[in-house]
């Protein structure tokens, strides 16, 4: 039997809890009464507003213009009216200007017709990706057109598509690969046309065997040059650095990008969005969100419009009991928030609600220097040392101890027997050390 | 005989090295600026950095070279400034008024509403990272005491109600607490100031009233009824002009509906 690959250094095995929602087919959430569309849904400069209060908007119409090189356009998900331009706080504590859009009562949704796309050149495809506001759907929301524009002098020899979904609870990518395998695979082929890789790999963790079968079936039907690689389950395999290590055995040097080792990494949900953009001229106006957690009555995978309030999702899924904490994203790297009026943005892969019992925090005790965090860190850092430096406000020292290589995956905090808030400390250290 | 040889070798070696050291001490001597040494002796030695130089030694050497302005030492004040002027042989410059830090907030965890229960690191910036702090008021004190821990003279303490307070007599005006405070609720006021506004919120009155019972609601009673109090309201926040005589400030403090004009001393 062939050995199933994974990355070697560090990593953890949290209870994945995917069984709660991985049999729930994707459902479409009805159009809510009000949408909040923030202008800062991506990494980089916020988009500039193109509409004002009282303006009419069409579904798919551009309402925010990307402001600089690293930025992305924002589109209206529905036909409707802009009722306000407010400031909102997103789940990740970013304060952003946001359109409040009231959808029309009749026919709020746009109609997306299929168009022939085989004739588009690579440059035309890249322009479509840029104009339709596609950003990385995995959570980091990096504008995709920058990733797909390979700079002169660099070549891509591996396109690695991320179907790992290593975060516990989340099943949105799993359902997407299972139910829309054809579109995902076609999206991957479009990306391949833009980047010209020598090989194309889709990495999928071994706990999604049905998705692997579904993808392989579609690939075999069309005879596409794509390899689906099953990966041994280990968190944080969905990070691009660990994924490249697991699939093509390459290590990205500190502070570099996948392109520096000749690879492009892209999420399956991004590939799906690219296919929709190219084949239907449909901007990134909706995404699949897993609604799960112990406080949710029926866990679901919902297809929701960008800008839908969390309260609408919770009302649809039903709260079993009073939720104590909400998390946007997965439980390891997601953001805890308290306001259910927070909108879903392009990077929100899940909404989790927990009861007080489920998220209870153990009391913090002093570090005993056991070194478990060092063993768990996939980046080979020394979280214990970094924590001590940050605790003593030695921020520049912490920066010199490679604090910036920390990607806040939470492995160290997960294994810490003293329950120290290690990730919180790393985030704080980065913020204060950068000054 | 052997002992004698050993003795001679060691002795001559010692003599030789000693000679080398003596020559090196003369030839490689580092010139010391004596005036800088003298100035350093009269500076308070708090190494607080309020002057903008790295510690007292840094300021002293800059002063002796004529690069720094005299009178920047806020802990030392007029006395130090005069002593430095004497050493440098210049006229004592006008001393800046002694300023002390003041926490412009009295909204402890009971008086001000909280958005969520913060469980992270005991550091104000840590809480500020998450939705600008757990307090519903995004301008106020977060009560985690980062200022207290950076204060070089232990002038800041937590009172019985959980509010952070600065002892104006112990404060040396080094500004360290104002730099570490993420909400900038600590600002400097003149040490002679009898009263201060215990609120930092620029929210509208209605918003403040909803989330805090001791915040300035911008009602302008202090400004209109007590024109000699020195209070003016801009951006829904009252501010005291310490240059004015401030004769009615006591009455204004009595009349303030949320009693957020408090005694500073």
């Amino acid at each position: 039997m062939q050995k199933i690959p994974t990355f070697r250094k560090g990593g953890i095995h949290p209870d994945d809890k995917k069984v709660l929602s991985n049999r729930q087919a994707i459902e479409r959430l009805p159009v809510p009464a009000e949408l909040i569309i923030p202008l800062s849904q991506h990494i980089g400069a916020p988009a500039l507003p193109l509409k004002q209060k009282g303006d009419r908007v069409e579904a798919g119409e551009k309402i925010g213009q990307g402001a600089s090189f690293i930025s992305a356009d924002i589109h209206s998900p529905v036909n409707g009216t802009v009722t306000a331009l407010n400031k909102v706080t997103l789940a990740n504590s970013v304060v952003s200007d946001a359109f409040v859009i009231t959808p029309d009562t009749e026919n709020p949704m746009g109609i997306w017709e299929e168009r022939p796309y085989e004739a588009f050149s690579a440059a035309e495809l890249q322009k479509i990706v840029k104009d339709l506001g596609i950003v990385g759907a995995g959570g980091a929301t990096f504008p995709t057109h920058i990733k797909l524009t390979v700079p002169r002098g660099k070549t891509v020899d591996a396109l690695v598509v991320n179907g790992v979904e290593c975060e516990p609870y989340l099943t949105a990518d799993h359902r997407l690969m299972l139910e829309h395998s054809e579109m995902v695979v076609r999206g991957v082929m479009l990306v391949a046309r833009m980047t010209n890789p020598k090989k194309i790999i889709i990495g999928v963790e071994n706990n999604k065997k049905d998705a692997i079968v579904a993808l392989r079936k579609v690939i075999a039907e069309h005879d596409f040059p794509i390899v689906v690689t099953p990966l041994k389950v280990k968190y944080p395999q969905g990070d691009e650095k660990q994924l490249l290590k697991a699939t093509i055995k390459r290590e990205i040097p500190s502070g570099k990008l996948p392109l520096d080792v000749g690879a492009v990494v892209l999420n399956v949900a991004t590939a799906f969005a690219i296919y929709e953009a190219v084949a239907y001229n449909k901007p990134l106006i909706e995404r699949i969100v897993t609604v799960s957690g112990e406080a949710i009555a029926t866990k679901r995978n919902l297809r929701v419009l960008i800008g839908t309030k969390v309260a609408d999702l919770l009302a649809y899924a039903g709260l079993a009991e009073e939720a104590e904490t909400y998390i946007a994203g997965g439980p390891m790297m997601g953001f805890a928030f308290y306001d259910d009026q927070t909108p879903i943005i392009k990077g929100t892969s899940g909404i989790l609600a927990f009861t007080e019992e489920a998220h209870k925090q153990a009391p913090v005790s002093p570090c005993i220097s056991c070194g478990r965090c060092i063993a768990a860190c996939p980046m080979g850092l020394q979280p214990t040392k970094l924590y001590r430096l940050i605790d003593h406000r030695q921020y520049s020292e912490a920066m010199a101890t490679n604090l910036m290589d920390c990607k806040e995956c939470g492995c160290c905090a997960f294994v810490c027997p003293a329950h120290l808030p290690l990730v919180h400390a790393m985030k704080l250290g980065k913020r204060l050390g950068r000054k | 005989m052997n002992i004698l040889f050993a003795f001679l070798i060691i002795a001559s070696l010692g003599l030789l090295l000693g000679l080398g050291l003596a020559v090196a001490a003369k030839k490689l001597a580092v010139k010391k600026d004596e005036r800088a040494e003298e100035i350093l002796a009269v500076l308070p030695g708090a190494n607080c950095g309020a002057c903008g130089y790295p510690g007292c030694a840094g300021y002293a050497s800059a002063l002796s070279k004529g690069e720094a302005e005299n009178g920047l030492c806020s802990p030392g004040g007029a006395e130090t400034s005069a002593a430095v002027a004497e050493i440098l042989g210049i006229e004592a410059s006008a001393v800046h008024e002694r300023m002390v830090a003041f926490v412009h907030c009295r909204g402890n965890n009971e008086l001000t509403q909280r958005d969520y229960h913060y469980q992270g690191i005991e550091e104000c910036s840590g809480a500020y990272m998450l939705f600008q702090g757990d307090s519903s008021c995004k301008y106020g004190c977060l009560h985690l005491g980062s200022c207290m821990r950076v204060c070089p003279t232990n002038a800041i303490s937590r009172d019985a109600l959980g509010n952070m307070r600065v002892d104006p007599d112990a404060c040396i005006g080094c500004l360290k607490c104002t730099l570490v405070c993420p909400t900038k609720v600590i600002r400097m006021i003149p040490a002679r100031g009898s009263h201060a506004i215990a609120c930092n919120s620029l929210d509208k009155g209605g918003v403040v009233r909803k989330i805090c019972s001791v915040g300035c609601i911008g009602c302008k009673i202090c400004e209109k009824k007590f024109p000699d109090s020195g209070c003016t309201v801009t951006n829904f926040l009252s501010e005291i002009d310490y240059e004015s005589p401030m004769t009615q400030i006591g009455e204004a403090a009595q009349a303030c509906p949320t009693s957020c004009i408090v005694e500073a001393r």
Side-chain angles (χ1 to χ4, degrees):
Chain A
M1 204 184 125
Q2 204 192 347
K3 207 179 149 221
I4 302 168
T6 183
F7 63 100
R8 217 173 126 227
K9 198 189 287 170
I12 52 169
H13 296 97
D15 184 0
D16 73 3
K17 306 263 187 185
K18 287 183 192 285
V19 71
L20 296 177
S21 57
N22 64 4
R23 278 156 200 278
Q24 297 284 337
I26 298 169
E27 291 168 70
R28 193 179 282 274
L29 188 77
V31 177
E34 192 176 79
L35 294 170
I36 300 173
I37 322 281
L39 285 164
S40 182
Q41 302 189 25
H42 43 262
I43 285 187
L48 303 170
L50 297 177
K51 294 282 173 188
Q52 282 170 351
K53 191 179 164 183
D55 284 356
R56 259 208 68 75
V57 288
E58 305 270 309
E61 190 183 352
K62 194 192 279 184
I63 54 174
Q65 171 74 47
S68 66
F69 177 64
I70 300 184
S71 190
D73 296 347
I74 308 285
H75 301 79
S76 171
V78 288
N79 299 319
T81 322
V82 178
T83 43
L85 188 55
N86 286 345
K87 278 216 178 309
V88 293
T89 308
L90 306 181
N92 55 2
S93 293
V94 169
V95 179
S96 162
D97 286 322
F99 288 112
V100 180
I101 294 178
T102 309
D104 291 345
T105 39
E106 277 173 44
N107 299 328
M109 298 290 277
I111 297 154
W112 310 103
E113 278 169 16
E114 199 165 357
R115 61 174 176 184
Y117 59 86
E118 290 303 328
F120 287 132
S121 71
E124 279 168 331
L125 290 174
Q126 277 159 4
K127 192 167 179 308
I128 291 170
V129 169
K130 182 173 191 297
D131 287 345
L132 297 183
I134 311 287
V135 300
T141 59
F142 188 77
T144 304
H145 64 272
I146 302 170
K147 224 186 229 183
L148 298 184
T149 313
V150 182
R152 211 162 289 183
K154 291 204 173 168
T155 50
V156 176
D157 64 12
L159 167 64
V160 181
V161 181
N162 188 345
V164 173
E165 199 166 52
C166 58
E167 278 267 8
Y169 290 95
L170 300 188
T171 51
D173 286 355
H174 181 186
R175 291 310 302 183
L176 179 74
M177 286 187 283
L178 200 62
E179 292 176 38
H180 300 285
S181 352
E182 172 100 26
M183 290 165 102
V184 169
V185 169
R186 283 182 183 276
V188 172
M189 288 313 290
L190 285 171
V191 176
R193 250 162 73 193
M194 286 181 251
T195 51
N196 273 324
K198 289 195 189 101
K199 56 181 170 186
I200 310 166
I201 299 164
I202 303 180
V204 184
E205 268 188 0
N206 212 16
N207 55 0
K208 294 180 264 293
K209 291 206 173 76
D210 47 354
I212 297 173
V213 172
L215 289 173
R216 279 188 175 154
K217 194 173 147 232
V218 174
I219 292 164
E221 266 171 33
H222 299 280
D223 203 19
F224 285 138
I226 303 177
V227 182
V228 180
T229 311
L231 300 166
K232 205 192 263 177
V233 177
K234 187 153 128 186
Y235 178 88
Q237 198 145 238
D239 185 273
E240 56 187 19
K241 297 198 175 187
Q242 272 58 48
L243 182 62
L244 285 188
K245 197 90 182 137
T247 51
I248 58 170
K249 307 208 164 30
R250 265 178 234 173
E251 187 161 317
I252 307 172
S254 167
K256 298 279 173 123
L257 296 169
L259 206 54
D260 293 306
V261 294
V264 168
V265 183
L266 200 85
N267 199 280
V268 281
T270 318
F272 177 73
I274 290 172
Y275 177 77
E276 282 203 319
V278 172
Y280 294 91
N281 197 21
K282 179 182 171 187
L284 184 48
I285 54 167
E286 58 180 359
R287 66 158 298 136
I288 297 160
V289 179
T290 301
V291 183
S292 186
E294 271 70 18
I296 298 287
T298 40
K299 288 85 177 162
R300 288 167 196 272
N301 298 295
L302 297 177
R303 192 153 187 193
V304 299
L305 296 169
I306 303 290
T308 307
K309 290 177 198 161
V310 169
D312 294 322
L313 274 75
L314 295 175
Y316 187 78
L319 279 177
E321 43 196 315
E322 193 58 28
E324 181 78 3
T325 306
Y326 304 128
I327 293 178
M332 296 300 295
M333 287 189 72
F335 301 97
F337 64 101
Y338 60 89
D339 187 2
D340 64 3
Q341 298 299 304
T342 307
I344 299 290
I345 58 169
K346 289 176 183 178
T348 314
S349 46
I351 293 294
L352 309 178
F354 293 106
T355 53
E356 195 179 352
E357 186 59 31
H359 96 288
K360 201 162 57 184
Q361 200 182 9
V364 171
S365 57
C367 171
I368 53 166
S369 298
C370 65
R372 278 192 218 174
C373 52
I374 299 173
C377 180
M379 299 306 289
L381 301 176
Q382 297 180 54
T384 162
K385 185 175 175 187
L386 289 168
Y387 181 79
R388 202 167 303 162
L389 288 170
I390 292 161
D391 201 30
H392 293 179
R393 299 183 193 78
Q394 305 278 318
Y395 304 117
S396 48
E397 273 292 302
M399 294 300 260
T401 318
N402 303 320
L403 176 58
M404 286 317 279
D405 282 337
C406 168
K407 54 200 172 129
E408 301 157 16
C409 65
C411 290
C412 52
F414 183 82
V415 297
C416 181
H419 309 290
L420 294 171
L422 288 162
V423 182
H424 188 195
M426 304 297 164
K427 286 184 182 175
L428 178 67
K430 281 184 191 177
R431 178 172 286 220
L432 298 178
R434 246 180 251 156
K435 279 184 190 159
Chain B
M1 204 59 183
N2 281 346
I3 289 172
L4 194 67
F5 274 131
F7 176 78
L8 281 177
I9 288 167
I10 296 297
S12 52
L13 209 66
L15 224 68
L16 222 72
L17 291 174
L19 214 69
L21 278 176
V23 171
K26 278 264 179 276
K27 281 223 153 179
L28 304 173
V30 179
K31 243 195 197 163
K32 253 191 207 162
D33 190 342
E34 289 191 7
R35 281 203 308 182
E37 296 281 302
E38 275 174 57
I39 295 170
L40 185 57
V42 298
L43 288 176
N47 286 324
C48 64
C51 52
Y53 291 88
C56 293
Y59 185 44
S61 95
L63 274 171
S64 76
K65 284 179 198 148
E67 287 165 2
E69 188 195 333
N70 187 18
L72 294 179
C73 181
S74 53
E79 239 169 79
T80 306
S81 169
V84 171
E86 207 190 306
I87 295 164
L88 290 173
I90 56 168
E91 266 189 42
S93 52
V95 184
H96 301 281
E97 190 177 8
R98 192 167 97 83
M99 303 291 273
V100 293
F102 185 81
V103 185
H104 291 73
C105 179
R106 287 285 181 273
N108 64 15
N109 290 357
E110 277 108 58
L111 298 172
T112 310
Q113 204 178 302
R114 300 280 128 175
D115 280 343
Y116 62 93
H117 178 46
Y118 177 72
Q119 293 178 308
I121 317 169
E122 189 100 341
E123 190 79 58
C124 298
S125 303
Y128 191 71
M129 230 165 44
L130 307 166
F131 306 99
Q132 284 98 50
D134 55 346
S135 169
S136 299
C137 173
K138 302 303 176 197
Y139 300 93
C141 180
L142 298 174
H143 306 102
L144 292 167
S146 291
C147 49
M148 192 166 79
R149 289 186 287 272
V150 295
C151 181
T153 58
N154 290 334
I156 308 179
S157 57
R158 204 188 294 269
D159 68 12
L161 295 169
N163 287 317
M164 309 309 296
R165 288 205 190 218
V166 183
D167 176 359
D169 297 322
C171 176
I172 56 171
C174 69
L175 303 175
K176 276 193 173 168
C177 51
T178 64
L179 294 176
V180 81
C181 179
T183 58
K184 304 287 168 225
V185 68
I186 307 181
R187 285 180 274 123
M188 306 304 280
I189 61 168
R192 62 182 163 79
S194 60
H195 287 72
I197 308 290
C199 184
N200 194 36
S201 170
L202 300 179
D203 279 333
K204 286 182 187 161
V207 179
V208 174
R209 206 183 262 283
K210 221 180 269 171
I211 57 180
C212 178
S213 53
V214 289
C216 176
I217 50 173
C219 64
K220 298 205 176 185
I221 288 177
C222 52
E223 181 184 324
K224 290 200 173 139
K225 282 204 177 158
F226 307 98
D228 290 335
S229 66
C231 294
T232 44
V233 177
T234 37
N235 283 333
F236 311 102
L237 180 61
S238 179
E239 213 162 323
I240 300 177
D241 177 13
Y242 289 98
E243 299 306 315
S244 72
M246 289 168 60
T247 46
Q248 287 182 314
I249 191 73
E251 294 155 58
Q254 289 280 323
C256 179
T258 54
S259 47
C260 77
I261 303 176
V262 296
E263 283 183 18
R265 297 208 63 94

